[in-house]
Amino acid sequence: MTTKTELSPTARESKNAQDMQVDEVLIPRKVPSLCSARYGIALVLHLCNFTTIAQNVIMNITMVAMVNSTSPQSQFNGSSEGLPVDSFGDLSKAPKSLSAKCSVIGGQFAIWEKWGPPHERSRLCSIALSGMLLGCFSAILIGGFISETLGWPFVFYIFGGVGCVCCLLWFIVIYDDPISYPWISTSEKEYIISSLKQQVRSSQQPLPIKAVLRSLPIWSICLGCFSHQWLVSTMIVYIPTYISSVYHVNIRDNGLLSALPFIVAWVIGIVGGYLADFLLTKNFRLITVRKIATILGNLPASALIVSLPYLSSSYITATALLTLSCALSTLCQSGIYINVLDIAPRHSSFLMGASRGFSSMAPVIVPTVSGFLLSQDPEFGWRNVFFLLFAINLSGLIFYLIFGEADVQDWAKERKLTHL
């Protein structure tokens, strides 16, 4: 008994020493950050997301000018009519665009599986995904100006040309892993490889479908993403309509006012990624950081929208709340949207595409349900829409807070096959 009690503190000290060594490996002091290969890849992915969503927004905007007018230049007045239903693109009106965006996002997560150190994934993914918000901002802000001055075909030429440049950058800059990357420093390569050794990874193995379908953490991510997309869809599509009907001010007629929430959300999204990684360096648990980011991206944003009917002072206040709500919602980029990388890094690309595909049902259902509520009760219809949003958002958030995890799941770990 005495021998065991004497060895127990030593064992604990040894374990603590190993944990400190792991932390030192994961957070080196001399490895470059911003001027590095992994951040260069994040910037390229940022530009790719920018052009993907910008082209989708431009398609929705110019379609009005192409169909409803024989003189698009005179009819297109810088309006953002046809605004996408969420900050990641209009998923309900373009099935092909949906599949394209899901494949783009899934491919990015396959890259971060081998390029993203665990203590930097939040900021790297946030930098990459925030390109979608910048794409919305740019397309809404300058799309009308280009169409008025040069004609609507030049909108496609310009943004299509940017897309071709991003495609070339993708083929030149993007590599599967740091080992095969020709322009990476030795210190950075060793840092990335050593940091990813702490995770269980292996060569390709089949995805255990039954285990995935029985996984509550996976379902918590899917339902959490669905509830968040319900929030974003209602916020982007119906809040401008609400402001127009209540205050008789159509913010869609002002390109800058329509684009303002996206540029603020772009800044907050990137800052949120850095804050999440900062909390990890302060010995916060990974799941705690993910859940904090998810709470901040859901609860305040939905609460601000619910408060709109009770704030009848001016449309400026309502627009400010819309901008703040849109900005806070992007904090989920550092939470639930990259949680798949934590629990199943080897299958993150497929699972991310599946969860985004599941959540894309929200933009399809929101117009039908919200339109029904507004038609049934014109007086309290808006309150019903907003309270339904809050209830769905809170339900998905609670489910994620209960069942969400950040540890690599057993079914996602390496399985050694024994041949008899």
Side-chain angles (χ1 to χ4, degrees):
M1 294 295 294
T2 56
T3 304
K4 291 183 179 179
T5 55
E6 291 175 357
L7 292 177
S8 179
T10 306
R12 285 196 296 267
E13 291 178 0
S14 176
K15 185 178 184 300
N16 292 335
Q18 291 178 0
D19 294 338
M20 292 176 62
Q21 290 177 359
V22 170
D23 292 337
E24 290 176 357
V25 171
L26 292 178
I27 315 173
R29 299 172 182 265
K30 297 183 179 180
V31 174
S33 56
L34 294 179
C35 298
S36 61
R38 61 190 185 280
Y39 281 86
I41 289 177
L43 181 59
V44 172
L45 294 178
H46 183 93
L47 295 175
C48 291
N49 287 325
F50 167 87
T51 185
T52 300
I53 297 302
Q55 291 173 2
N56 184 65
V57 175
I58 288 300
M59 177 68 71
N60 294 328
I61 292 177
T62 56
M63 192 176 298
V64 178
M66 290 186 291
V67 173
N68 295 339
S69 174
T70 56
S71 179
Q73 297 184 29
S74 61
Q75 295 293 329
F76 199 96
N77 59 358
S79 169
S80 59
E81 197 71 37
L83 193 67
V85 302
D86 64 5
S87 60
F88 301 105
D90 188 346
L91 301 180
S92 63
K93 296 182 180 179
K96 293 182 179 179
S97 178
L98 166 61
S99 61
K101 284 192 284 291
C102 288
S103 63
V104 168
I105 295 174
Q108 293 179 28
F109 275 74
I111 291 175
W112 296 130
E113 174 189 343
K114 299 180 181 180
W115 275 96
H119 280 70
E120 294 186 9
R121 280 177 177 170
S122 299
R123 73 188 79 170
L124 290 172
C125 291
S126 296
I127 292 173
L129 294 176
S130 294
M132 299 181 181
L133 300 166
L134 187 61
C136 288
F137 171 79
S138 302
I140 294 171
L141 184 63
I142 68 176
F145 175 77
I146 296 175
S147 183
E148 283 184 342
T149 56
L150 302 176
W152 61 261
F154 283 89
V155 180
F156 292 96
Y157 298 153
I158 294 175
F159 282 95
V162 174
C164 293
V165 173
C166 292
C167 185
L168 291 177
L169 287 175
W170 177 279
F171 286 115
I172 295 174
V173 177
I174 302 299
Y175 280 73
D176 289 337
D177 50 56
I179 299 177
S180 58
Y181 198 76
W183 304 295
I184 189 173
S185 64
T186 304
S187 60
E188 184 182 4
K189 182 188 298 184
E190 294 177 352
Y191 162 59
I192 296 175
I193 295 174
S194 62
S195 64
L196 294 178
K197 282 182 180 179
Q198 308 304 324
Q199 297 187 355
V200 179
R201 302 169 59 240
S202 66
S203 57
Q204 293 184 359
Q205 291 185 357
L207 177 70
I209 300 296
K210 293 182 179 179
V212 171
L213 293 177
R214 292 194 300 263
S215 175
L216 287 177
I218 290 294
W219 281 109
S220 68
I221 293 175
C222 292
L223 294 177
C225 291
F226 174 86
S227 64
H228 184 258
Q229 284 300 309
W230 190 289
L231 162 69
V232 176
S233 301
T234 305
M235 178 174 56
I236 301 303
V237 172
Y238 281 97
I239 297 302
T241 305
Y242 170 79
I243 295 176
S244 176
S245 62
V246 173
Y247 302 104
H248 306 289
V249 176
N250 190 356
I251 67 172
R252 294 181 188 271
D253 289 337
N254 189 324
L256 178 60
L257 200 59
S258 300
L260 181 61
F262 293 102
I263 192 62
V264 178
W266 175 72
V267 175
I268 297 299
I270 296 177
V271 172
Y274 277 87
L275 289 177
D277 287 337
F278 174 77
L279 292 179
L280 291 177
T281 63
K282 299 302 178 181
N283 297 324
F284 278 74
R285 294 178 59 205
L286 181 57
I287 186 59
T288 302
V289 174
R290 295 290 180 252
K291 290 183 177 180
I292 289 175
T294 304
I295 292 173
L296 294 178
N298 281 276
L299 198 56
S302 58
L304 288 173
I305 291 180
V306 170
S307 66
L308 280 177
Y310 304 96
L311 300 176
S312 57
S313 56
S314 66
Y315 81 93
I316 298 178
T317 303
T319 304
L321 292 178
L322 169 62
T323 301
L324 182 59
S325 179
C326 183
L328 291 175
S329 68
T330 58
L331 293 175
C332 283
Q333 291 179 170
S334 305
I336 194 170
Y337 283 111
I338 64 173
N339 197 191
V340 172
L341 274 172
D342 305 321
I343 64 175
R346 291 174 51 251
H347 307 294
S348 59
S349 58
F350 173 81
L351 294 176
M352 185 58 197
S355 63
R356 292 305 294 267
F358 182 86
S359 65
S360 67
M361 292 188 297
V364 179
I365 302 174
V366 164
T368 303
V369 176
S370 300
F372 174 78
L373 293 176
L374 292 174
S375 63
Q376 293 297 314
D377 192 346
E379 183 178 358
F380 297 101
W382 286 112
R383 294 184 182 182
N384 296 334
V385 169
F386 296 155
F387 275 114
L388 176 63
L389 176 153
F390 186 81
I392 293 176
N393 192 252
L394 185 62
S395 301
L397 177 61
I398 292 175
F399 193 87
Y400 175 72
L401 293 179
I402 295 175
F403 298 106
E405 297 182 8
D407 298 326
V408 178
Q409 302 297 292
D410 292 336
W411 49 265
K413 295 180 180 179
E414 182 178 1
R415 301 187 302 275
K416 295 183 179 180
L417 302 179
T418 304
H419 299 279
L420 300 177

